[in-house]
Amino acid sequence: MKAVIPAAGLGTRFLPITKSSPKEMLPIIDRPAIQYVVEEAINSGIEDIVIVTGRGKEAIERYFDMAYELERVLEERGEMEKLQEVRRISEMASIFFVRQKMPLGLGHAIYVAKNHMGEESFAVLLGDDIIVADKPCIKQLREIHKKYGCSVVAVQEVEKEDVRKYGIVEGEEVEKGVYRIERMIEKPSPEETASRNAIMGRYILTPAIFKCIERTEPGKKGEIQLTDALNLLLEKEDIYAYEFRGRRYDLGNKFDWLRINVEMAMQHDDFREKMRKFLQKILQD
Ligand code: UTP
């Protein structure tokens, strides 16, 4: 299976840093957010990855490219551990880049990768969403896709007052945590739906989605929304929602970026104790 990682958005919720630095390159300890996303795909058995970029996102391409001068300097200095790490990044997977010339929405970003995807179902991982899980989220979705043979979207329950921030799915629970979707509503008010199952940034899509994106009219902010295209797909094919296990961080959101850095520090052998002491001290003061 191949994967698309859309990373061409403007990141306006994270201004001003995103004026010149892609949000997908924000560091979590010592590596950029998008590396965690690429590693999730690889750890789910996906090795052919298309990253959708745009203007001002060149740092992403450079990051996954070979850094010849740097490698030579590290080699000369005998810093072999660092050299290995730097090499590992450029050799991780087959990564291809396509450009979305204008940020016309998530649906449009996925469409830009159409020619690379062929006639097979493919995975979509949003470049600014990190999911910390024992079993990688996209692997969980692949298992559901294999069982039901159709598109699957990752969902998680959110607070009632938060449904207005997400695409919400309504459907029938066919097994624990798996729903056959009946309706998807983009950013509803809490009165519009009884469901609290929100779509998070992971999908397995059948290739029929491309025809649906072609038929999707620009929606909010003039963008081609993936949820609108999914609703067209739902007229033709079943779509399932899966309540994945894991914690999701939206790096388009400043507070989530702070939270994930603390979580990752607590999982890191070098920082766990230091961070614990630091937090205790700050909370006491
Ligand atoms: P978001 O809606 O979170 O990204 O899209 P954004 O538009 O950058 O965010 P704000 O609201 O301005 O802060 C989810 C994912 O889809 C990508 C983004 O890069 C992000 O990874 N995306 C979004 C595209 O690739 N192209 C687009 O036109 C829009």
Side-chain angles (χ1 to χ4, degrees), residues 3-8 24 34 38 48-54 57 60-61 64 94-100 109 112-113 117 127:
V4 185
I5 302 181
E24 295 80 7
I34 197 161
V38 167
D48 184 317
I49 298 168
V50 174
I51 301 181
V52 182
T53 65
K57 301 273 185 169
I60 302 176
E61 295 174 34
F64 290 104
S94 299
I95 301 182
F96 303 87
F97 293 92
V98 292
R99 266 174 103 93
Q100 185 189 22
V112 172
M117 289 302 127

Side-chain angles (χ1 to χ4, degrees), residues 5-14 23-24 52 57 100 102-106 108-109 125-129 221 223 250 252:
I5 302 181
L10 293 176
T12 55
R13 284 171 296 149
F14 220 126
K23 62 180 165 179
E24 295 80 7
V52 182
K57 301 273 185 169
Q100 185 189 22
M102 297 267 284
L104 295 176
L106 178 57
H108 182 261
L125 300 90
L126 299 195
D128 62 347
D129 259 7
K221 295 192 269 173
E223 294 185 340
D250 168 14

Side-chain angles (χ1 to χ4, degrees), residues 37-211:
V37 180
V38 167
E39 284 181 356
E40 181 187 327
I42 293 169
N43 294 334
S44 305
I46 297 172
E47 285 179 357
D48 184 317
I49 298 168
V50 174
I51 301 181
V52 182
T53 65
R55 250 189 306 286
K57 301 273 185 169
E58 293 76 15
I60 302 176
E61 295 174 34
R62 278 202 305 279
Y63 186 76
F64 290 104
D65 197 4
M66 193 183 157
Y68 173 70
E69 297 86 346
L70 178 64
E71 286 187 17
R72 213 184 57 192
V73 171
L74 291 174
E75 204 163 7
E76 279 168 11
R77 289 185 188 163
E79 301 200 63
M80 301 321 263
E81 235 175 77
K82 286 184 187 159
L83 178 65
Q84 267 172 13
E85 178 64 14
V86 164
R87 277 210 181 125
R88 192 180 74 84
I89 295 162
S90 60
E91 290 166 358
M92 254 183 200
S94 299
I95 301 182
F96 303 87
F97 293 92
V98 292
R99 266 174 103 93
Q100 185 189 22
K101 291 187 184 138
M102 297 267 284
L104 295 176
L106 178 57
H108 182 261
I110 292 169
Y111 193 79
V112 172
K114 175 175 179 265
N115 287 348
H116 194 94
M117 289 302 127
E119 290 303 310
E120 303 288 321
S121 292
F122 61 97
V124 177
L125 300 90
L126 299 195
D128 62 347
D129 259 7
I130 295 185
I131 294 174
V132 180
D134 292 335
K135 187 190 282 184
C137 180
I138 212 74
K139 192 172 190 176
Q140 298 177 40
L141 257 57
R142 285 190 76 179
E143 288 170 5
I144 303 299
H145 170 73
K146 202 167 169 199
K147 185 162 175 189
Y148 293 93
C150 44
S151 297
V152 188
V153 303
V155 296
Q156 224 164 38
E157 214 171 271
V158 295
E159 297 294 331
K160 192 172 189 314
E161 62 271 23
D162 288 332
V163 297
R164 60 174 81 252
K165 297 184 196 157
Y166 296 91
I168 299 294
V169 306
E170 291 175 353
E172 180 202 354
E173 192 165 19
V174 291
E175 65 174 285
K176 195 174 169 354
V178 182
Y179 303 80
R180 188 182 315 106
I181 298 180
E182 283 154 8
R183 187 164 84 118
M184 274 166 285
I185 327 151
E186 185 63 20
K187 303 190 173 73
S189 66
E191 296 72 44
E192 269 176 87
T193 178
S195 170
R196 295 203 276 133
N197 275 334
I199 303 178
M200 304 290 170
R202 298 290 183 269
Y203 311 77
I204 306 283
L205 300 175
T206 59
I209 191 69
F210 292 118
K211 281 241 150 48

Side-chain angles (χ1 to χ4, degrees), residues 227-257:
T227 313
D228 293 342
L230 284 170
N231 267 316
L232 293 178
L233 186 64
L234 195 56
E235 291 171 8
K236 292 192 189 158
E237 296 180 359
D238 279 345
I239 306 179
Y240 283 76
Y242 178 63
E243 223 173 289
F244 66 95
R245 285 174 300 277
R247 276 185 303 288
R248 176 253 189 180
Y249 296 93
D250 168 14
L251 286 231
N253 168 321
K254 295 174 190 178
F255 188 59
D256 270 16
W257 179 76

